[in-house]
Amino acid sequence: MSHHYSGPALGFPHGDARLDLTDLFAFGKPGDAARSILIMDVHPSFSIDPRQPTRTDPFADEAIYELKIDTNGDAVADIAYRLRFSRFEAGAQTVTLRRVQGPGAAGMGDEGEVLIEAAPVSIGAEAQVSEGGDHRLFAGWRSDPFFFDVLGVIAGFKFTHEDFFADKNVCSIVLDIPNTALGAGKIGVWARTVDGTGGQWVQADRGARPGQTPFLTGDSLGAYNAAQPVDDAQFVPVLAHSLEHTGGYAPADATRVAATLLPDMLPFDPGRPAAYPDNGRALTDDVQDHFLGILTGGKVTTDRVGAHTDLLADFPYLGPPHAAL
């Protein structure tokens, strides 16, 4: 999440950039207190190592892109939004959106009530928006809203104060949802990609809170990507060990802090303004400054990089893709 890598050795999950989950956002719809916006970003247009473009076809057709919602605080999904994409042919692709509520939401598969069928995927600058009942959907290339001096971090926190992602693109799934469809009160949200290329569904990537996944070192990263939030207590010692190393925490303090970051879900109460980390995540929230403070034990608190200026006031809120695409 937010590092644009999620696979072993910080590569792409299953070697496919289209399966890489980069960011998750949840905030109230501007101007309408009765609705919320969920955004799942995947498939970064540019690789960090090696530094080169990824691929131009936006979404994998043999995959499921899924938003999970826990309504009762047990870290198990009670509602799921599932998206399946057609093959990318003749420069075009479509998507079908399904919704599952109840025990099936925690399962694996592409079942569910069809809300929007065969909606066009946006390839160019124009945002193609589809509607089904009381839901609205956008899927396609957008300007990447994530902002961070990632090369400065790689260089040992020697910041360049330049935003690596300022001219990059990402594939976005944006949902405009009535709050009544999200349960009542505070919920937990996370996203995942599921790969079906091997003949059965396999979870490829998942997450909610930005920044922390790369610090699940060794074999634990693969185990994390295959697990569910309800299982996340097992990863507290691994994350705590990383915090001891990067932030100079005493073991007990590292364990305490790591436990606040897991299970990996984004808390969100649609009735309150979004503000990371306590309630959802807005597009302008400086999540990496927040995480830098945790990661370094307060020694580093900012990369001096700010939010992007190409955000839109209306749906789908993310700016049009950069021409480099």
Side-chain angles (χ1 to χ4, degrees), residues 121-175:
V121 170
S122 294
I123 305 300
E126 181 182 357
Q128 300 186 72
V129 178
S130 302
E131 298 186 7
D134 53 6
H135 287 64
R136 300 177 75 204
L137 167 67
F138 168 88
W141 286 105
R142 289 277 96 182
S143 170
D144 192 340
F146 183 55
F147 52 98
F148 189 43
D149 180 4
V150 66
L151 299 184
V153 169
I154 293 174
F157 299 103
K158 297 176 182 177
F159 291 121
T160 66
H161 311 310
E162 294 184 6
D163 180 5
F164 180 82
F165 303 96
D167 60 351
K168 305 301 190 295
N169 297 318
V170 75
C171 288
S172 298
I173 294 166
V174 188
L175 292 179

Side-chain angles (χ1 to χ4, degrees), residues 11 17 23 26 42 108 137 164 181 192 260 308:
D23 281 292
V42 299
M108 189 87 73
L137 167 67
F164 180 82
R192 73 174 182 177
T260 68
H308 294 173

